[in-house]
Every structure is written in C-alpha cells, then in structure tokens.
Amino acid sequence: MASMRDIKRRKSSIQSTQQITKAMKLVSTVKFQKAKVKAETTRPYFDKMYETVSSILSRSGNIHHRYLMQGESQKKAVIVITSNRGLAGGYNSNILKLVQSEIAGKDAVVLPIGKKALDYFRSKQIPTFTEQYAEAAELTVGDCFSVSKQVSKAFLAGEFDQIVVAYTNFVSVLAQTPAAMQLLPLEKPEKKE
C-alpha cells in the first residue's frame, strides 16, 4: 500500500507532466498556424504561375524545345517530399504508397526530401538520385534551386524521360491528400482560342 507522501508526490508529478504537455500543445498549435498561413498564401501564386505557363504553351504553336519532348531513356525520376519524423498519421505513409504505385515496374530513381522518404527507399533498395537533401527541416530556397538545376541538367542530358514531384496537398486541417505532378517534360495543353 502506498503511503500518503508517495501519493502526493505522484500527484504533483502528473500535474507537472500535464503542464508540460499543455505547453507543447500550445507551441505546436502556433507552429501549425504559421505553416498553414504560409501554405494558403503561396497557393494563389503557384496557381497563377501554373496557369500562365499553361496559357503560354497552349498559344505557342509548334515549339520544339527539349523541355517539351519525352526523353528516350525510359527512366523516371521522382522527387519525394516527406517529413523527417513519424507520428504524423498517414502523412508519410500515404505519399510513400503513391510513389510506390508511380514507380512500380518502372526503371526509376528517387530524390528523397525528408528522412522518412530516405529510410523507406533505402529499405526497399530503390536507387536515389542524391541523398544530399534528406533533412527536410533544413532545406532552403537555394537548395530548391540546386535540386531543380540538378534534375533539369540530368533531363537535358537524357538520363530521365520524365521528372515527377510527389508531395502532400494541404486541403484543410483534417485533410491532406498525396499528389504527384509531372514537372518535365512540360505538358502542352490544348490550344485555346
């Protein structure tokens, strides 16, 4: 039987743990709100840029550029964006399932961004283009330019016939859907009047 002193000590320990947990919850809520605002403010910019490029391509006529033509290598490159840690519900597993279905039965290489992607593809023995950007939290805008230069150069050199980015599309707090978008070759939409 526990003494009264042990019970009081246990009670104060539980209360201090509850305070720490509450503080962690508040910090994570603030971080999430900041990330949500960033995601929502950058989406209109992306949508407008994508619409502009599609509009230019649809009105351009017969342009013969390497970025518009399928390569001959039959090798696909997939840029995979995941988190560095687990405990994110289906966030990582959904995107990894999507990528696995994208590359199933194909000659493919992945460029993992996030430790979960790197660990997953290492365990499946799927070749990686580079492991330089595996730490997603430390990725900068300069790193994004570096990634785009590396994969574009490889595409122009004929190493890949297609480059795809796989990411999680933020719909709402309760819904994030995995998505894959072809980056190269650029898809020329139907001509608009």
Side-chain angles (χ1 to χ4, degrees), residues 128-147:
T128 57
F129 181 70
T130 180
E131 296 180 5
Q132 183 178 352
Y133 307 102
E135 186 71 37
E138 295 177 8
L139 205 66
T140 65
V141 174
D143 291 332
C144 294
F145 284 119
S146 177
V147 167

Side-chain angles (χ1 to χ4, degrees), residues 93-189:
S93 61
N94 290 338
I95 195 70
L96 295 172
K97 284 179 194 172
L98 175 74
V99 172
Q100 193 66 44
S101 68
E102 280 276 323
I103 64 174
K106 297 177 185 164
D107 187 14
V109 58
V110 295
L111 193 156
I113 298 175
K115 285 184 181 177
K116 284 296 178 183
L118 179 61
D119 294 343
Y120 178 82
F121 293 114
R122 271 187 187 162
S123 72
K124 299 286 184 187
Q125 297 177 343
I126 295 171
T128 57
F129 181 70
T130 180
E131 296 180 5
Q132 183 178 352
Y133 307 102
E135 186 71 37
E138 295 177 8
L139 205 66
T140 65
V141 174
D143 291 332
C144 294
F145 284 119
S146 177
V147 167
S148 65
K149 280 182 186 178
Q150 288 177 12
V151 294
S152 297
K153 188 176 179 181
F155 180 80
L156 290 174
E159 290 180 43
F160 309 122
D161 71 330
Q162 187 181 35
I163 298 173
V164 175
V165 63
Y167 61 98
T168 302
N169 189 22
F170 179 80
V171 178
S172 71
V173 175
L174 298 175
Q176 297 90 33
T177 57
M181 183 173 129
Q182 182 173 313
L183 299 177
L184 290 174
L186 295 171
E187 293 177 321
K188 200 170 182 181

Side-chain angles (χ1 to χ4, degrees), residues 6-45:
D6 291 338
I7 293 173
K8 286 181 181 180
R9 198 176 299 146
R10 177 89 173 153
K11 180 182 173 189
S12 77
S13 172
I14 290 171
Q15 286 174 338
S16 69
T17 303
Q18 285 175 333
Q19 287 176 337
I20 292 168
T21 306
K22 186 177 179 182
M24 290 170 66
K25 183 179 176 183
L26 291 172
V27 168
S28 65
T29 301
V30 169
K31 283 183 177 179
F32 178 78
Q33 289 300 326
K34 285 182 182 178
K36 180 182 170 189
V37 167
K38 279 184 183 178
E40 289 173 345
T41 56
T42 57
R43 181 171 285 143
Y45 174 76

